[in-house]
Amino acid sequence: MQNMSLKAFWASRRWYGMSKATASLQPRAFEILFRPRKFVINHVRRLIEQCGGRDFWTVYYRNSPEKLKEQGGRLPEFDRYIRQIPTSAKRILWQTSNPQGFAKMLEFSASSSRQYCHTNFTRHLHDVWGGRNSSFNDESGIIGAVNGEAARNGVGCVTASSSMWSWFITVGTTQKVIIV
């Protein structure tokens, strides 16, 4: 065993694939580390009311220049997410940090009979979360806390396999998960 910084641990890539080895520990660890504060719970409660109840599916569309580069120029197109939404889903919670992706979500919503909801937080084309842009640390922390807790309250999730957010919003839940 050795001590190392999170930065060094990430750079070593030893963490890659560890989720299978630690799967049984993850729900309890999540419960301890990520308890939402009261103001987050209040935001989520209002969002659930906007959605019309907890029987919603979260559709998390991951797209940014940084993620595209990380994935070798290949990310699922928006239409692929849409095709994966179960026909039984009556309510959809849209999640994306990308303003262009959000515009696609709103356009799709206007042409559909399902009920849609979303947060009104700021969206950025480039990744700003996780300290990538220190001027957005507080903003991205609050957005992440609210969006994470909201998604964990749904009945299902359509999300990308290449995003750690997929783990964050589904670990320890009983919701159905569809990976694109």
Side-chain angles (χ1 to χ4, degrees):
M1 183 189 297
Q2 78 182 69
N3 292 327
M4 71 171 52
S5 70
L6 284 176
K7 184 176 183 178
F9 182 65
W10 181 83
S12 75
R13 302 210 30 101
R14 281 199 244 167
W15 57 270
Y16 201 80
M18 288 183 71
S19 62
K20 289 181 179 149
T22 63
S24 65
L25 303 172
Q26 291 175 18
R28 184 68 180 132
F30 187 96
E31 198 175 292
I32 292 168
L33 295 172
F34 298 106
R35 286 178 294 215
R37 294 177 179 232
K38 187 173 176 113
F39 79 92
V40 170
I41 291 169
N42 288 335
H43 270 287
V44 171
R45 183 183 45 77
R46 287 190 297 273
L47 184 57
I48 289 170
E49 287 172 8
Q50 177 193 350
C51 286
R54 291 180 185 270
D55 60 340
F56 60 84
W57 275 74
T58 300
V59 176
Y60 170 59
Y61 176 55
R62 177 70 168 102
N63 195 329
S64 71
E66 293 81 5
K67 192 64 169 181
L68 191 61
K69 181 179 177 186
E70 176 188 306
Q71 295 298 307
R74 289 167 290 179
L75 284 174
E77 294 293 327
F78 179 71
D79 290 344
R80 189 162 162 205
Y81 289 81
I82 298 305
R83 287 193 305 270
Q84 295 301 318
I85 299 171
T87 55
S88 61
K90 294 182 174 112
R91 295 176 174 85
I92 306 295
L93 169 63
W94 293 125
Q95 287 194 347
T96 187
S97 57
N98 183 312
Q100 296 166 345
F102 186 62
K104 290 178 184 180
M105 291 172 165
L106 293 179
E107 183 180 322
F108 182 81
S109 298
S111 66
S112 177
S113 62
R114 293 181 174 130
Q115 184 172 348
Y116 295 94
C117 54
H118 55 81
T119 60
N120 289 317
F121 292 122
T122 306
R123 290 175 169 76
H124 305 272
L125 179 61
H126 292 276
D127 292 342
V128 299
W129 48 268
R132 291 176 188 240
N133 184 327
S134 61
S135 64
F136 292 110
N137 281 353
D138 289 342
E139 175 188 316
S140 60
I142 291 169
I143 291 169
V146 170
N147 283 340
E149 186 62 17
R152 295 177 60 75
N153 276 272
V155 296
C157 182
V158 177
T159 187
S161 63
S162 62
S163 179
M164 288 299 293
W165 188 250
S166 302
W167 170 84
F168 186 75
I169 62 178
T170 60
V171 68
T173 69
T174 58
Q175 64 182 301
K176 298 171 189 145
V177 180
I178 298 174
I179 303 292
V180 293

